[in-house]
Amino acid sequence: MATAELVLGLLHNGPAHGYDVKRGHDAWFPDSRPLAFGQVYTTLSRLERDGLVEVVDRGSEGGPERTVYALTPQGREHLAHWLAEPIQPALGAVDEMVRKVVATIRTGEDASAFLARQRSSHLRRIRELKAVESDSDSSSWLVRDYMALHLDADLRWLDNALDRITEQKETSR
Amino acid sequence: MTELALELIRVEYAYRRDVALRGVSLQVRPGEVVAVTGPSGCGKSTLLHCAAGILRAQAGTVHLVGQNLAELPEADRTRLRRTQAGVVLQFGQLVPDLSLTDNVALPLLLEGHEREAARRAALGWLERVGVADDAAATPSELSGGQNQRAAVARALVTGPAIVFADEPTGSLDTHAGEQIMELLLSSARVGGSALVIVTHDNLVAAYADREVRLRDGVIQHEVSLS
Ligand SMILES: Nc1ncnc2c1ncn2[C@@H]1O[C@H](COP(=O)(O)OP(=O)(O)O)[C@@H](O)[C@H]1O
Ligand SMILES: [Mg+2]
């Protein structure tokens, strides 16, 4: 998880409190788990230690929630590098579905029943994602689109997999 | 008990070389949205054509709003089809030489409605689907998306009990496709029409209350999505 880099991104438009960072994150990714305060503050202090952010105001009473953070030039550079780097095309979190299908086949369970259940669950989720009204000044539709298209890819993979399994069964009969 | 909008009982259909449907049974309740999905060649279009009375099932029965299509005299069957079943195909299938208004008015005129009333109803629908400004244009003067909007209007103008759509977004880009889907769903909802959408596209199928998946001319599974 690139929480550190996201926090740098959230400071890109100017200095902010940890609270603003958390709020900004949750607004950018409204369908993801909200960022926990604890995580915001540990991330910010780690970034400060590494020289990527600096404290520009401690407030009168001090304490983490009064502290205002800003990007350092190194922080800005680190963020630019992160954004410029393509991600490793590796098997991600969805691989649980792949594992289940492999296990279904290896244990001789009914793969087409799995397909029916997984289609139902994926199609429902796609519908939910599409049902959200997109307001024009928000980027959250980008995330929803990404998720919907990946669910579509999952379903197509599942179709292909089961077609081939069925064909193999038919020819080996 | 409310009457089903559509009921297929063990419907079979074979072309000269290929068996397309091998005993398909299906029920669609009033107002329900059903997606018929499956890989290309699995029999989706044949199913839709049999259900809409465009093709005649070779075995089994098709009930459209409670009427057995095979038992109706030809004229009654045509009439039932025209008034109770709206059809939207992949490429609008509008009459090329007629204006959008005349295209949409056509099903009403064929039913013997008075000309002015039919035009007014057509214009009302063109407005609802967002192409009232192009009412006087012919299909070739307009985009695929605009034609498809008019095709939706034409399918719904008679207030049918059921609308059949065969890959209605297949010739459109993603955005225009989404708009047509929203339009089909909202129009069907307004009129209380059931909707059967044939599609190989998961993003389109996701709009339905239920998925019926075909494989090799038989139903592979049916799952609720609502
Ligand atoms: N007009 C036709 N003449 C001959 N064969 C056809 C015709 N239409 C469809 N078929 C065959 O019937 C089968 C089912 O086709 P179809 O119902 O069009 O499937 P789908 O709409 O799912 O792609 C396929 O094998 C196809 O080749
Ligand atoms: Mg087809």
Side-chain angles (χ1 to χ4, degrees), chain B residues 11-64:
Chain B
V11 167
E12 295 176 25
Y13 194 93
Y15 296 96
R16 195 186 296 263
R17 294 180 46 198
D18 295 302
V19 183
L21 299 176
R22 308 166 191 270
V24 171
S25 299
L26 171 67
Q27 297 189 335
V28 179
R29 291 184 292 277
E32 195 182 15
V33 181
V34 175
V36 177
T37 67
S40 163
C42 70
K44 302 183 296 295
S45 294
T46 307
L47 172 70
L48 182 130
H49 288 133
C50 288
I54 297 166
L55 287 176
R56 195 190 272 258
Q58 292 160 349
T61 47
V62 178
H63 290 104
L64 198 57

Side-chain angles (χ1 to χ4, degrees), chain A residues 112 115-117 119-121 123-124 126-127 130 145 148-149 151-152 155-156 159 162-163 166-167 170, chain B residues 37 39 174 178 182 201-209 211 213 215-216 220-226:
Chain A
S112 59
L115 170 86
R117 288 191 295 269
R119 282 192 66 82
S120 171
S121 140
L123 290 176
R124 281 168 200 242
I126 291 173
R127 204 222 320 247
K130 288 191 165 284
D145 243 29
L149 292 175
L151 292 171
D152 177 37
L155 289 177
R156 284 189 274 159
D159 267 344
L162 291 178
D163 271 354
T166 315
E167 271 163 30
E170 276 162 9
Chain B
T37 67
T174 312
E178 280 181 1
E182 305 282 349
D201 184 341
N202 294 317
L203 299 175
V204 170
Y207 288 95
D209 301 323
E211 175 186 51
R213 193 159 182 83
R215 192 192 148 86
D216 265 341
Q220 185 181 29
H221 71 237
E222 266 190 65
V223 290
S224 163
L225 306 179
S226 55

Side-chain angles (χ1 to χ4, degrees), chain A residues 45-101:
Chain A
S45 46
R46 202 157 8 94
L47 289 169
E48 189 191 2
R49 182 199 65 199
D50 296 343
L52 300 178
V53 303
E54 60 191 346
V55 172
V56 291
D57 186 2
R58 291 216 182 267
S60 45
E61 292 109 79
E65 55 293 354
R66 298 278 103 215
T67 311
V68 179
Y69 294 88
L71 283 184
T72 62
Q74 296 95 297
R76 218 165 268 284
E77 201 176 316
H78 185 92
L79 176 65
H81 271 295
W82 181 65
L83 291 175
E85 198 63 29
I87 66 151
Q88 287 302 315
L91 207 55
V94 281
D95 67 353
E96 188 174 353
M97 187 176 74
V98 181
R99 292 204 191 104
K100 283 191 184 189
V101 170

Side-chain angles (χ1 to χ4, degrees), chain A residues 125-166:
Chain A
R125 183 72 188 121
I126 291 173
R127 204 222 320 247
E128 280 169 17
L129 290 167
K130 288 191 165 284
V132 181
E133 287 287 323
S134 39
D135 35 9
S136 48
D137 66 336
S138 152
S139 58
S140 59
W141 64 270
L142 274 173
V143 182
R144 291 197 302 274
D145 243 29
Y146 173 88
M147 294 199 286
L149 292 175
H150 277 73
L151 292 171
D152 177 37
D154 283 357
L155 289 177
R156 284 189 274 159
W157 170 81
L158 205 48
D159 267 344
N160 282 337
L162 291 178
D163 271 354
R164 290 186 57 172
I165 294 162
T166 315

